[in-house]
Amino acid sequence: AQKVTQAQTEISVVEKEDVTLDCVYETRDTTYYLFWYKQPPSGELVFLIRRNSFDEQNEISGRYSWNFQKSTSSFNFTITASQVVDSAVYFCALSERGDTDKLIFGTGTRLQVFP
Amino acid sequence: EPEVTQTPSHQVTQMGQEVILRCVPISNHLYFYWYRQILGQKVEFLVSFYNNEISEKSEIFDDQFSVERPDGSNFTLKIRSTKLEDSAMYFCASSQQGVTNNSPLHFGNGTRLTVT
């Protein structure tokens, strides 16, 4: 069965600190996709990244970086030099290739960045 | 950039009433979805729709729920007789070729449904 665990329910940091949001997933498929979404206080879901299971290269996009490690079934997200605008709930999600076409979301991590 | 549009942004309805949530997916997309998020909780899959039929539905999507693509552009979610526990944010999403074909999933801004 597929499952996504975000053990950190809430993280608080001060501006300019680096912060890492953890995501651990479970799947029996060898082909799957991992996602991160940001949900700011306004409520919409903002797509951040999609990674397929065959691509373990880490990715950097500005202050954001993602560390995908199949050996530990983790897909962690780091924000460098955090800013107040980064305050949001961040969701990790998993989709398996096969009969299902749905995303399974984790419970989310609420990040609060204080000035 | 094209986007998924949902209306209304907020809907208040009384328990037992029917409600229809509307979505306009991105125009060249073929796969459509509804997700919901009860306040403060995680986002949950409800249903996926392709080629004018439901391709998958979750346990949440019981007989009170239905989806329709009535005119080739809109994609609607109907709740026949709303319950208090249906209060949630409902997200519509679309994908060009489906998530399992490595096609991105685009979400709308959501409709907040409040059942009183």
Side-chain angles (χ1 to χ4, degrees):
Chain A
Q2 46 182 324
K3 185 180 176 184
V4 176
T5 301
Q6 294 180 256
Q8 305 150 307
T9 52
E10 188 160 340
I11 301 175
S12 295
V13 299
V14 178
E15 242 185 341
K16 297 184 184 171
E17 281 186 34
D18 298 347
V19 59
T20 295
L21 309 181
D22 297 333
C23 174
V24 174
Y25 61 91
E26 292 177 32
T27 177
R28 284 193 285 246
D29 266 11
T30 55
T31 303
Y32 50 90
Y33 306 95
L34 295 164
F35 304 78
W36 276 95
Y37 284 86
K38 173 182 179 180
Q39 187 174 45
S42 48
E44 71 270 27
L45 286 169
V46 179
F47 169 79
L48 296 178
I49 189 171
R50 180 181 82 255
R51 176 53 51 89
N52 76 54
S53 52
F54 296 113
D55 183 3
E56 278 195 81
Q57 277 196 339
N58 292 332
E59 179 148 343
I60 297 175
S61 176
R63 295 184 296 106
Y64 294 171
S65 62
W66 290 269
N67 184 332
F68 176 29
Q69 292 200 346
K70 287 176 78 169
S71 60
T72 56
S73 297
S74 65
F75 187 43
N76 296 337
F77 172 32
T78 297
I79 302 175
T80 303
S82 58
Q83 300 175 1
V84 173
V85 294
D86 296 327
S87 297
V89 180
Y90 291 86
F91 290 97
C92 180
L94 163 73
S95 179
E96 293 176 333
R97 188 177 179 90
D99 294 336
T100 182
D101 198 35
K102 64 186 178 190
L103 261 61
I104 298 297
F105 283 80
T107 50
T109 296
R110 179 177 299 279
L111 174 65
Q112 294 202 68
V113 182
F114 292 99
Chain B
E1 186 176 320
E3 56 183 32
V4 177
T5 307
Q6 289 186 245
T7 54
S9 56
H10 191 188
Q11 172 119 27
V12 182
T13 190
Q14 288 192 329
M15 195 167 53
Q17 295 296 304
E18 175 182 286
V19 66
I20 297 176
L21 308 183
R22 301 181 191 280
C23 170
V24 179
I26 295 173
S27 61
N28 63 343
H29 284 192
L30 302 176
Y31 295 78
F32 313 109
Y33 312 83
W34 283 100
Y35 286 77
R36 81 166 186 194
Q37 183 185 29
I38 294 173
L39 186 64
Q41 298 187 21
K42 67 178 176 180
V43 180
E44 300 173 290
F45 169 79
L46 290 178
V47 65
S48 57
F49 189 87
Y50 169 71
N51 201 24
N52 281 319
E53 60 183 27
I54 290 174
S55 43
E56 185 176 4
K57 59 184 181 180
S58 71
E59 293 174 353
I60 302 166
F61 194 88
D62 61 22
D63 292 344
Q64 291 299 312
F65 291 88
S66 62
V67 289
E68 199 175 39
R69 188 158 161 79
D71 56 12
S73 62
N74 290 286
F75 179 52
T76 60
L77 174 69
K78 183 195 290 186
I79 309 175
R80 260 178 274 281
S81 177
T82 50
K83 304 188 277 282
L84 293 176
E85 53 264 38
D86 293 327
S87 295
M89 179 78 97
Y90 288 81
F91 291 101
C92 175
S94 70
S95 172
Q96 189 170 39
Q97 296 183 25
V99 177
T100 53
N101 290 318
N102 204 20
S103 183
L105 191 63
H106 298 261
F107 282 91
N109 286 344
T111 292
R112 182 167 298 284
L113 176 65
T114 302
V115 182
T116 61

